Amino acid sequence: MTSRRNGISVEIHPELHFVLFKLKGVVYGKELLEVTERTYATLNEPWLYNRLFDIRQFINVLQFEDFAALAEQWPKIAGRVQQTRVAIVTEDPVRIARTENFGRVLPNVTARTFATIEDAEAWLAEDVPVKVRASQG
């Protein structure tokens, strides 16, 4: 499923249990929170879905408060407190440093940055049970 709201496009990947959010142009933290909540409300088992944010075409900067709000939002949208992975795709060294530092202070969230979507997807797929990946082919 793919949808687009404001500067955010959303792709749900049920086979690998993640949701891809592509941010383009100016997007504010509040918008991202709203789109994330609406998207996860459509999933049968939302706690199984990690998040991938492609911010390579994103213009403004998410603040620490935005990352903290995303972390606080997780138990609500997942329906439980559960460890989750967040992959962020960017090649901007400042954004890499910011997101890696934020990941260290957010409970139940393991965050990593990647230069490509493929690398981010591979990392997210590490948590997917073998039987789920095997049934794709």
Side-chain angles (χ1 to χ4, degrees):
M1 175 180 132
T2 302
S3 66
R4 183 159 189 87
R5 291 192 173 98
N6 302 325
I8 306 170
S9 67
V10 179
E11 297 175 16
I12 298 172
H13 294 264
E15 70 284 355
L16 294 175
H17 296 274
F18 73 86
V19 179
L20 169 61
F21 298 90
K22 289 185 178 182
L23 283 63
K24 185 174 182 177
V26 176
V27 176
Y28 296 100
K30 182 179 178 186
E31 293 173 297
L32 183 56
L33 288 169
E34 290 169 356
V35 170
T36 302
E37 188 169 336
R38 281 195 300 267
T39 301
Y40 272 77
T42 68
L43 302 174
N44 289 332
E45 297 175 309
W47 59 88
L48 295 178
Y49 287 78
N50 291 309
R51 291 165 284 176
L52 193 167
F53 296 97
D54 181 352
I55 61 171
R56 292 175 293 180
Q57 295 182 22
F58 176 58
I59 293 174
N60 55 326
V61 176
L62 290 175
Q63 302 299 320
F64 175 79
E65 293 79 13
D66 299 321
F67 282 94
L70 281 168
E72 290 171 14
Q73 179 191 50
W74 176 243
K76 178 182 174 187
I77 63 175
R80 61 174 75 174
V81 175
Q82 173 127 355
Q83 188 67 28
T84 186
R85 286 184 171 196
V86 173
I88 301 163
V89 179
T90 182
E91 294 178 338
D92 181 322
V94 173
R95 288 192 170 152
I96 291 169
R98 287 174 57 90
T99 56
E100 287 179 353
N101 283 326
F102 291 154
R104 291 187 183 104
V105 297
L106 304 176
N108 302 314
V109 177
T110 302
R112 286 198 46 201
T113 55
F114 299 89
T116 68
I117 286 182
E118 294 78 17
D119 288 343
E121 288 177 353
W123 179 67
L124 292 175
E126 290 174 4
D127 271 355
V128 177
V130 174
K131 65 180 181 176
V132 173
R133 283 188 282 175
S135 67
Q136 294 175 42

